[in-house]
C-alpha cells in the first residue's frame, strides 16, 4: 500500500506475459520501474572543467542552468587538485533572472571544506535544492591563492526514493500499489499508459549538459586575461575563431533537442549572433546525424539562450554528434565568454 | 374495435425530443411524425415523434400524449387525442379541451393516416378523408400454428414498387387474410405488408397468439407474401397468404 | 442506421457517382437535391448482377482486399452525350500545376481553341474543368476539380496534356456507391439525396465502360485498397558520364587576406590594414559539386583578377592538396607605405570547407623593409601568446580541421534520360546491378550523386563501384526514413508532388498514390500505429515498390491492417484496423437470432493455416526489395520440434540493424506465436442491420454446433471475436462476416479508465463529464445491466493510496457539447467518495470497480487475479 522505489530496474521475461494471472504481474513491475526512474535518473545538469588555471584568492564562476521543474535536490561535486592543505570555502548562489549583475541569493554556504592533502585529488560534495525557476548559479571559491586547481564541477540530481506528494510538475505520476494489489482490482488502460508517460516525462524534464565552457567571471575581464577573442579594427568581414570542439554520443539512437545558453560580454560593437554552435552536420555526415541549421546566440552580458536545434540519428546505432563552437568579435573589439553550456533534452518517437 | 385487421409498425429512430425545439423532419422520415399548429399561435408548429418503431395503436396514443405535454415539449394550450375508428375506418385528431388547431402532415403521413396532404382552416377536431394505409381492415384471418423457422431464407418479395426483405431465425406462422376489394389497394400500398406488423384475428382477443390462445394476434415480421387472389363472381373478396416470423422464446 | 429500417419494410435504393462525370446514377428515380458538385441525376444504374461487395483484411500481410464492384448503366439520351470519343481536342502549351481549386478564375493555355464552343466543359486527364470564355489559345474563366475530380498537375508535351470535350480517360476514375433509404410505400426520404444515404463502397474504375448487350454499358471497378498493390514508378533514370571526387561549393564562401602593420609604439601604420576578399563561387549555383582541380583553378583565377586591380608586388598563394603538392605563383600585392614597420600581422581567412591541407603566403621582394628572398611570414598575435605556437608558417585562423568531414565525396555525374526540375535530395540509387544510397542535386539534365554509401548494415562505408561505373545505367528514387510509421504510410498514400492532397502530401510526383486526404482516416493511422510501434526506425523507397511491399511486413507483425471501409464518419475511407484477435469491449453482439441460412449453414469454419511456429523477419532496405543478409528468426522451439516448422515470412523496411528494435520485434513475434495455435476463423451469415465493419470487435454468443468452445468443452461459442471481413449482398443486404475467435484461454480486454474533466460538485456530484469516446461504452455498460445504474470506482492518479477514492453510481450517459467540444456526461445517481473529493488537478479518474462488486459485463474486463490474461 505504498509508493515503492525499487533500487534497480527489473526486466520482466517474455514468458511472464503469457498465461499469467494478474496477481503480481508484469504491469506492477513496470510501473514500479517508472518509480525507480524518477528516483535514479540523474543526468548531469552541469559538468564543466573551469578554465583560468590555479585558483586565485577568490574566484567566481557564473553558469546558466535549466533545472528540473520539480525543484529537485541536486548533488554538487567539486574535484580539486590540492596544492596546499588549506581548506576551501565554497558558496553557491542562485539567480532567477538573466542579468548576473544583481538578484543573487545564497543557497549554500559559505562552507569550509575539510583540509586537503597536497598533491592529491580532493572531492567536496553537498546536496542542495535548486528551485524550478533558477536560471543561473554562481560559485564563489575562496582558496589560498595560486596553489589549488579546481578541476571539475558536476551537478546532478540526487538519487532518492519517490515520496509524496505526489503529482509532479514534470508530469510524473508516482505509482502507488494499493489499487493494483487489492483483490480483483481493475487492470486498466491508465495504468498501462502511465508507465510509458512517466518515463517520457522524467526523461524530458531532466536536461543534460553535453558541452560546456566556463571561465572565471569577472566584470571587466578584458584587461585581466582569460580567453577572449579580439578582432583588430579595419576588418570588413570579421572572422570566426574556433573556441573548441567536442563530440557527443546519442546511445541507442534518439531524437533530441539541443539548446545553448551563453553568458558573455563585449567591449562594444555588434552583439547579435556572435556565438555559433555548429554540429558540422551539413550535409549528412557519415556518423549518421542529421540536423537543421546552426545554433546562434547573442552577447549581451546577460544569459541568452539560443534557438533549439533538433537533432536526430538516422539509422546508425550509437551515433555521434561532433560539435564545434565558434566566436567572433566585431572589428576593433573583444569578446569574452563567461560561460557556455549546451543542454540536451531527449524527445522524439512516442 | 371489432373485426380482423392488420396494423403496421412505423419505423422511427427518434429523436424523441418534441416540441418547439424539435427538428421538423427526422432521418428516415416515413410516417413517424405528426405536427399541429394552434390557431392562437399560428407561427409555432409542434412536432411529435416516438423514439423507436411503434405499433399503429401505440403510435396514435403516443402522438396524443406528446402533443398534450406542457409547452414547449407539447403544444401551447391544447390536449390532444388521436383515435381510429374501425367502423368508419377513419382517423380522428381532436383537441379534448376545445382548442382550435390544424394538423400538419409530415413525410408520407397524409396517406398513412388518410388525410389530404395540405389541410387548411381551424377546427377542434379533424377526421381523415379516406381510410388509412397504416391499418387495414379485413374480413377474416386464419392463423396456422407456428413452425420452426430455424433455417430461414433471406427472401425478397415484390409488392408495388417496393422490394422489402424477409428474414429471421424464428418461428413462422402462415397467415391467410381475406379482404374486400375496397381495402385491397390499401393493403398493396405497403405499410401493412412489409416489415413488422400485428395481425388481429378479431377484436375480442387482444393478447398474443399461443397454443392456448388460438384467436390471439400475431405480431411479427412479414417474411413472404403471395399475390392477391380474387374470389367471387364480382371479385369482391381477395385473399393472400403471408408468412409472419415471430421471435423465438429463449 | 440505414439497414435498421429494413426490419420494418424499408428498402434501399443504390446510387453512385463517377468522379469527373456530372451525373448521379441511381437505380430508381429519386427525390431530393443531388449531392454537392453534381447537377444532374439519371435513373439508369443496374447492380443486380454484382457479386457481393465488401472488405476484408489479410492478417498475414495487413493489406485490405476489397471486393470489386460491377455495375451497368442503362442506355439513355443523357448517357449518350458522355459515352462518345472526344470530338474536339487540343493540347496544353503550359504546365497546369495542381493547386487550390479555383472557381471561374483559371486559365488554361492550349494550342488551339477554334474547334471549341465559347463556353463549356473540358476534360484533362481525370480532372474536369468548365470555362466561360476563350481566346484563340486560352480558355478563360475556368473552374477546376469539378464533379468529384481532384485538382491535379497536367504537363504539356505529354499524353496527359491533352484537352478534350468528352472524357478521354475512364480507368482510374473514382466510383462511390451509396445506399439511400426507401420507405415501404416506395418514397425516398430526405430533402437532399446525400443526407440520409450511407456510403457502401468506394473504388476506382478498372475496366470499361464497355457496351454489354443491347441496352447497357458495364463498368468494373476495384476497391480503393486494391490500388495499394500497384508498384510506384521509378524516379529518374540515366547513364553515368563521370565518376570523380567532388566537393560542394557555395556562393558565400570567401577567401580573405588581411595585412596589418604596426610601428614600435604599437600604432597602426597609416594605410594599413590592407584587405583582399574574394568570393570565387558567387556566380556558380549554390551547392554545385566541383572537382578539386576546378575549385583551385576558380580560386586562383579570382585571386589573380583581384590582385591585378591592386598591382605589384608578390604575394604567392599556394595550395597543397591531398593529391600532391601544387604550387602556383600568383600576382602581387601593393602596399601603401614603407614607413618603418615594426611588426605585422598577416591573416588569411577562409570560410567553407575547402579541401586544402594548408595555405601559406610569402612576402616578396626587396626595398620594403622585408627580406628579399621569399620566405614564410611569422605572424604575431594581437598581444599575448600565439595560440598556434611561434614559428607557424601559416595562420590557420578560422580554418576548418581538414581531417574532419569537409564534404568531399566521390560523385557520379549522370545524364538523365529526361530533364527533371527537381529530384529528391536523398534516396536510393541503382548503378548497374548494385543498389546504394546517396544524395542528389540536379543542374539541367545532369544529376550529381554524392555521399554514396552501401546499404545497411554497411552504411558507414563509402561505396566504390566494383568495376568501371562510366556508361552504366542508373535508376534513382527517393527514400525516406522516419521513426513514425504512420508518417511514412500517410505520405505514401497522399503524395502527389503538388502538395495538394493533404497534410502528408510531401514526396514528389510519382512517389505516392495521390489519394486525397478526405479518403484517408488519418487519425486511425496516428492512433493505431503510434501505440503499436515504438522505437523502430524505418526506411522506405519507391522505385518499383508498392505500399504493400513497403509496409505489409510491419503491419502483419504488429497485427494491424490497412483497409477501405465505412467508418464512424459515414464515409468509406482507408484506415488502420486491428487484426489482433484480442481486444477490449465489443461494438455489437451477434446471437442466434441474427443468423441466416441461405442454401448453407450460417456458420462456416474457414480452414485456418497450420499454427505458425517460427517467424522469419528480414530487413529490406534496398529499392528492389531484395533480401538483405540480416534475417532475424523467432522460433517457438518446442513447436518446431513437435510439429515442424511453419514459417511466416515478414519483410520489414528497417533502416539498418537497431538493437533497440530487437525487443520490440521479439515481443510482437511472441504474441503471434502464442496466439497462433488457438485462433479460429469462421464465416457467419447474418442480418443486414448488424453494425459491424472490418476491425471491429464483436461478441459472439451462439449455440451453433459448428463452433466448439474449447474453454468450456461445449458446442457453441460465447466470447469476443474480431471482424476481419465483411461481404454484403447488394440486393438483400445480407452480411457475411469473417470473424477470428480465440479458441484457447480466456482473454479479457483492459478495463477502461477515464479522466474526469468536469463535475458539478466535488463532494456530492450529480453530473460528471468524461471524454466523448467513452459514450457508447458507458451506454452499453448500462444497457447490459438491464438499464440499471452501474458502479464506477474513483481514484486519483499519482496521489498515493490509489485504492482510496470511493465510487460513483452512474445511471445514464449522454452526449453534450460545451463550447464546441463534445463530452460524455454521466448522470450520477449516488456517490460514496467519503473524504476524497473529485478534483481535476489531482487527476480524478473513473475506472471499473473491483471484481466483487462489478456487474457481469464489467467483469468481462481484466481484473487482478481473475484467471484471465489481458490483451
Amino acid at each position: 500500500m505504498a509508493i515503492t522505489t525499487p533500487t534497480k530496474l527489473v526486466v520482466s521475461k517474455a514468458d511472464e506475459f503469457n498465461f499469467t494471472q494478474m496477481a503480481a504481474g508484469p504491469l506492477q513491475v513496470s510501473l514500479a520501474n517508472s518509480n525507480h526512474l524518477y528516483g535514479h535518473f540523474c543526468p548531469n545538469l552541469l559538468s564543466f572543467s573551469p578554465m583560468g588555471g590555479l585558483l586565485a584568492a577568490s574566484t567566481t564562476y557564473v553558469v546558466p542552468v535549466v533545472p528540473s521543474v520539480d525543484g529537485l535536490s541536486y548533488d554538487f561535486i567539486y574535484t580539486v587538485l590540492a596544492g596546499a592543505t588549506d581548506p576551501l570555502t565554497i558558496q553557491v548562489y542562485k539567480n532567477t533572472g538573466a542579468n548576473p549583475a544583481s538578484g543573487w541569493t545564497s543557497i549554500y554556504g559559505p562552507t569550509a571544506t575539510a583540509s586537503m592533502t597536497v598533491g592529491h585529488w580532493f572531492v567536496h560534495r553537498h546536496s542542495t535544492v535548486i528551485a524550478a525557476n533558477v536560471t543561473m548559479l554562481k560559485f564563489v571559491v575562496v582558496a589560498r591563492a595560486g596553489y589549488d586547481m579546481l578541476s571539475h564541477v558536476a551537478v546532478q540530481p540526487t538519487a532518492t526514493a519517490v515520496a509524496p506528494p505526489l503529482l509532479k510538475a514534470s508530469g510524473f505520476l508516482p505509482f502507488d500499489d494499493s489499487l493494483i494489489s487489492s483483490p480483483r482490482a481493475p487492470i486498466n488502460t491508465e495504468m498501462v499508459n502511465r508507465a510509458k508517460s512517466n518515463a517520457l516525462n522524467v526523461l524530458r524534464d531532466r536536461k543534460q549538459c553535453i558541452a560546456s565552457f566556463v571561465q572565471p567571471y569577472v566584470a571587466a575581464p578584458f584587461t585581466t586575461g582569460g580567453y577572449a577573442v579580439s578582432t583588430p579594427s579595419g576588418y570588413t568581414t570579421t572572422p570566426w575563431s574556433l573556441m573548441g570542439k567536442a563530440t557527443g554520443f546519442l546511445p541507442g539512437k534518439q531524437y533530441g533537442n539541443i539548446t545553448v545558453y551563453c553568458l558573455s560580454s563585449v567591449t562594444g560593437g555588434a552583439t547579435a549572433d556572435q556565438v555559433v554552435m555548429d554540429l558540422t552536420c551539413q550535409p549528412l555526415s557519415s556518423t549518421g546525424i542529421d540536423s537543421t541549421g546552426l545554433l546562434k546566440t547573442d552577447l549581451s552580458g546577460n544569459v541568452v539562450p539560443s534557438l533549439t536545434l533538433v537533432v536526430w540519428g538516422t539509422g546508425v546505432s550509437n551515433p555521434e554528434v561532433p560539435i564545434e563552437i565558434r566566436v567572433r568579435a566585431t572589428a576593433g573589439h573583444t569578446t569574452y565568454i563567461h560561460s557556455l553550456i549546451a543542454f540536451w533534452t531527449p524527445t522524439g518517437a512516442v | 374495435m371489432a373485426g380482423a385487421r392488420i396494423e403496421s409498425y412505423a419505423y422511427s429512430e427518434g429523436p424523441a425530443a418534441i416540441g418547439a425545439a424539435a427538428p421538423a423532419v427526422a432521418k428516415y422520415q416515413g410516417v413517424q411524425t405528426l405536427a399541429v399548429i394552434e390557431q392562437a399561435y399560428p407561427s409555432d408548429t409542434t412536432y411529435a415523434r416516438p423514439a423507436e418503431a411503434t405499433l399503429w395503436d401505440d403510435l396514435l396514443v403516443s402522438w396524443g400524449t406528446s402533443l398534450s405535454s406542457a409547452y414547449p415539449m407539447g403544444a401551447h394550450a391544447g390536449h390532444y387525442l388521436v383515435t381510429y375508428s374501425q367502423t368508419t375506418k377513419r382517423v380522428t385528431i381532436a383537441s379534448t379541451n376545445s382548442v382550435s388547431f390544424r394538423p400538419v402532415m409530415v413525410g408520407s403521413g397524409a396517406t398513412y393516416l388518410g388525410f389530404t396532404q395540405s389541410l387548411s382552416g381551424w377546427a377542434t377536431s379533424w377526421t381523415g378523408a379516406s381510410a388509412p394505409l397504416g391499418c387495414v381492415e379485413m374480413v377474416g384471418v386464419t392463423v396456422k400454428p407456428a413452425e420452426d423457422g430455424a433455417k430461414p431464407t433471406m427472401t425478397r418479395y415484390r409488392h408495388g414498387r417496393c422490394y422489402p426483405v424477409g428474414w429471421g431465425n424464428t418461428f413462422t406462422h402462415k397467415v391467410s387474410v381475406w379482404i374486400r376489394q375496397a381495402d385491397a389497394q390499401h393493403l398493396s400500398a405497403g405499410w401493412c405488408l412489409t416489415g413488422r406488423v400485428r395481425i388481429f384475428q378479431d377484436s375480442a382477443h387482444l393478447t398474443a397468439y399461443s397454443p392456448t390462445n388460438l384467436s390471439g394476434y400475431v405480431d411479427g415480421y412479414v417474411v413472404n407474401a403471395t399475390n392477391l387472389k380474387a374470389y367471387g363472381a364480382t371479385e369482391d373478396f381477395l385473399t393472400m397468404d403471408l408468412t409472419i416470423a415471430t421471435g423465438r422464446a429463449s | 442506421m440505414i439497414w435498421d429500417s429494413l426490419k420494418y419494410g424499408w428498402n434501399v435504393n443504390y446510387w453512385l457517382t463517377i468522379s469527373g462525370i456530372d451525373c448521379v446514377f441511381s437505380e430508381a428515380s429519386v427525390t431530393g437535391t443531388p449531392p454537392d458538385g453534381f447537377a444532374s441525376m439519371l435513373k439508369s444504374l443496374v447492380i443486380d448482377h454484382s457479386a457481393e461487395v465488401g472488405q476484408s483484411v489479410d492478417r498475414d500481410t495487413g493489406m485490405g482486399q476489397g471486393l470489386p464492384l460491377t455495375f451497368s448503366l442503362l442506355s439513355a439520351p443523357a448517357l449518350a452525350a458522355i459515352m462518345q470519343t472526344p470530338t474536339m481536342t487540343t493540347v496544353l502549351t503550359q504546365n497546369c500545376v495542381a493547386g487550390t481549386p479555383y472557381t471561374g478564375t483559371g486559365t488554361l493555355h492550349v494550342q488551339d481553341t477554334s474547334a471549341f464552343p465559347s463556353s463549356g466543359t473540358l476534360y484533362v486527364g481525370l480532372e474536369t474543368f468548365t470555362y466561360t470564355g476563350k481566346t484563340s489559345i486560352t480558355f478563360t474563366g475556368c473552374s477546376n476539380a469539378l464533379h468529384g475530380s481532384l485538382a491535379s498537375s497536367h504537363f504539356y508535351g505529354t499524353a496527359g496534356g491533352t484537352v478534350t470535350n468528352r472524357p478521354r480517360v475512364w480507368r482510374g476514375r473514382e466510383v462511390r456507391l451509396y445506399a439511400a433509404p426507401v420507405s415501404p410505400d416506395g418514397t425516398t426520404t430526405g430533402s437532399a439525396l446525400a443526407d440520409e444515404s450511407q456510403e457502401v463502397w468506394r473504388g476506382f474504375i478498372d475496366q470499361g465502360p464497355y457496351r454489354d448487350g443491347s441496352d447497357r454499358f458495364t463498368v468494373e471497378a476495384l476497391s480503393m485498397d486494391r490500388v495499394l498493390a500497384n508498384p510506384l514508378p521509378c524516379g529518374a533514370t540515366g547513364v553515368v558520364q563521370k565518376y570523380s571526387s567532388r566537393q560542394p561549393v557555395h556562393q558565400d564562401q570567401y577567401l580573405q587576406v588581411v595585412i596589418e602593420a604596426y610601428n614600435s609604439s604599437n600604432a597602426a601604420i597609416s594605410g594599413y590594414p590592407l584587405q583582399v576578399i574574394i568570393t570565387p563561387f558567387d556566380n556558380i549555383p549554390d551547392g554545385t559539386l566541383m572537382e578539386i582541380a576546378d575549385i583551385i583553378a576558380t580560386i586562383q583565377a579570382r585571386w589573380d583578377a583581384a590582385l591585378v586591380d591592386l598591382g605589384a608586388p608578390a604575394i604567392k598563394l599556394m595550395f597543397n592538396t591531398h593529391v600532391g603538392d601544387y604550387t602556383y605563383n600568383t600576382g602581387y600585392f601593393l602596399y601603401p607605405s614603407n614607413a618603418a614597420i615594426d611588426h605585422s600581422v598577416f591573416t588569411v581567412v577562409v570560410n567553407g570547407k575547402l579541401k586544402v591541407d594548408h595555405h601559406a603566403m610569402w612576402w616578396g621582394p626587396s626595398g620594403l623593409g622585408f627580406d628579399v628572398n621569399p620566405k614564410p611570414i611569422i605572424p604575431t598575435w594581437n598581444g599575448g601568446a600565439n595560440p598556434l605556437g611561434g614559428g607557424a608558417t601559416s595562420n590557420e585562423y578560422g580554418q576548418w580541421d581538414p581531417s574532419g568531414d569537409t564534404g568531399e565525396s566521390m560523385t557520379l555525374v549522370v545524364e538523365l534520360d529526361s530533364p527533371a526540375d527537381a529530384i529528391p535530395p536523398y534516396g536510393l540509387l541503382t548503378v548497374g546491378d548494385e543498389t546504394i544510397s546517396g544524395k542528389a542535386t540536379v543542374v539541367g539534365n545532369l544529376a550529381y550523386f554524392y555521399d554514396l554509401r552501401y546499404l545497411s548494415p554497411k552504411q558507414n562505408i563509402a561505396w566504390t563501384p566494383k568495376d568501371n561505373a562510366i556508361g552504366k545505367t542508373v535508376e534513382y528514387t527517393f527514400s525516406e526514413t522516419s521513426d513514425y510509421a504512420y508518417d511514412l504510410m500517410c505520405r505514401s498514400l497522399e503524395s502527389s508532388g503538388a502538395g495538394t492532397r493533404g497534410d502528408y502530401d510531401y514526396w514528389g510526383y510519382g512517389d505516392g498514390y495521390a489519394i486525397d486526404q478526405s479518403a484517408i482516416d488519418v487519425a486511425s493511422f496516428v492512433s493505431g500505429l503510434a501505440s503499436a510501434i515504438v522505437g523502430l526506425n524505418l526506411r522506405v523507397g519507391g522505385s518499383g515498390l508498392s505500399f504493400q511491399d513497403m509496409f505489409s511486413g510491419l503491419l502483419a507483425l504488429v497485427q494491424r491492417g490497412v483497409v477501405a471501409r465505412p467508418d464512424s464518419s459515414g464515409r468509406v475511407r482507408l484506415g488502420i484496423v486491428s487484426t489482433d484477435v484480442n481486444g477490449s469491449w465489443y461494438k455489437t453482439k451477434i446471437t442466434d437470432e441474427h443468423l441466416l441460412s441461405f442454401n448453407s449453414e450460417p456458420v462456416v469454419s474457414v480452414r485456418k493455416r497450420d499454427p505458425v511456429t517460427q517467424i522469419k523477419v528480414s530487413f529490406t532496405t534496398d529499392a528492389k526489395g531484395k533480401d538483405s543478409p540480416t534475417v532475424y528468426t523467432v522460433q517457438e522451439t518446442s513447436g518446431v520440434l513437435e510439429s515442424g516448422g511453419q514459417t511466416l515470412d515478414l519483410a520489414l523496411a528497417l533502416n539498418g540493424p537497431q538493437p533497440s528494435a530487437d525487443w520490440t520485434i521479439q515481443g510482437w513475434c511472441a504474441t503471434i506465436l502464442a496466439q497462433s495455435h488457438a485462433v479460429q476463423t469462421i464465416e457467419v451469415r447474418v442480418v443486414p442491420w448488424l453494425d459491424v465493419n472490418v476491425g471491429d470487435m464483436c461478441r459472439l454468443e451462439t449455440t451453433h454446433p459448428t463452433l466448439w468452445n474449447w474453454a468450456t468443452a461445449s458446442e457453441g461459442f460465447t466470447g469476443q471475436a474480431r471482424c476481419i471481413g465483411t461481404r454484403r449482398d447488394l440486393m438483400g443486404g445480407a452480411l457475411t462476416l469473417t470473424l477470428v475467435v480465440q479458441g484457447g484461454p480466456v482473454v479479457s480486454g483492459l478495463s477502461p479508465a477515464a479522466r474526469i474533466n468536469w463535475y458539478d460538485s466535488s463532494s456530492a456530484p450529480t453530473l460528471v463529464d468524461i471524454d466523448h469516446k467513452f459514450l457508447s461504452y458507458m451506454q452499453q455498460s448500462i444497457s447490459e445491466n438491464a438499464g440499471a445504474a452501474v458502479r464506477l470506482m474513483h481514484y486519483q492518479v499519482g496521489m498515493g493510496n490509489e485504492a482510496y477514492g470511493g465510487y460513483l453510481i452512474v445511471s445514464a450517459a449522454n452526449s453534450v457539447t460545451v463550447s464546441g467540444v463534445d463530452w460524455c456526461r454521466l448522470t450520477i445517481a449516488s456517490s460514496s467518495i467519503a473524504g476524497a473529493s473529485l478534483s481535476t488537478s489531482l487527476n480524478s479518474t473513473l475506472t471499473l470497480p473491483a471484481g466483487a462488486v462489478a456487474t457481469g459485463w464489467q467483469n468481462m474486463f481484466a481484473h487482478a487475479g481473475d484467471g484471465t490474461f489481458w490483451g
Side-chain angles (χ1 to χ4, degrees), chain C residues 584-631:
Chain C
S584 190
W585 69 285
Y586 58 86
K587 204 167 166 217
T588 314
K589 201 189 282 191
I590 303 173
T591 61
D592 284 338
E593 70 172 21
H594 296 113
L595 300 180
L596 295 176
S597 61
F598 188 69
N599 299 326
S600 62
E601 291 291 331
V603 180
V604 172
S605 176
V606 175
R607 190 189 179 280
K608 58 184 169 71
R609 56 166 155 69
D610 293 327
V612 172
T613 52
Q614 67 183 8
I615 300 175
K616 278 200 174 143
V617 180
S618 62
F619 303 152
T620 60
T621 56
D622 54 283
K624 297 300 182 189
K626 294 195 278 285
D627 287 345
S628 82
T630 312
V631 172

Side-chain angles (χ1 to χ4, degrees), chain B residues 11 13 26-30 53 108 151-154 156 159 161-163 165 167 169 189 191 194-196 221, chain C residues 1-2 4-5 7-11 181 184-185 187 189 196 592-593 595-598 601 687-689 731-732:
Chain B
Y11 182 69
E13 287 186 353
K27 238 177 166 218
Y28 311 128
Q29 177 61 54
S108 304
K151 284 189 180 248
T153 54
M154 189 78 176
R156 291 175 67 235
H159 80 92
R161 293 178 289 163
C162 206
Y163 276 103
V165 296
W167 68 284
N169 183 10
W191 297 101
T194 61
R196 190 173 179 190
Y221 295 86
Chain C
M1 186 181 54
I2 196 172
D4 271 330
S5 57
K7 280 188 275 194
Y8 293 92
W10 289 63
N11 198 14
D185 65 354
T187 54
T189 59
E196 302 196 356
D592 284 338
E593 70 172 21
L595 300 180
L596 295 176
S597 61
F598 188 69
E601 291 291 331
V687 293
W689 41 84
M731 295 322 296

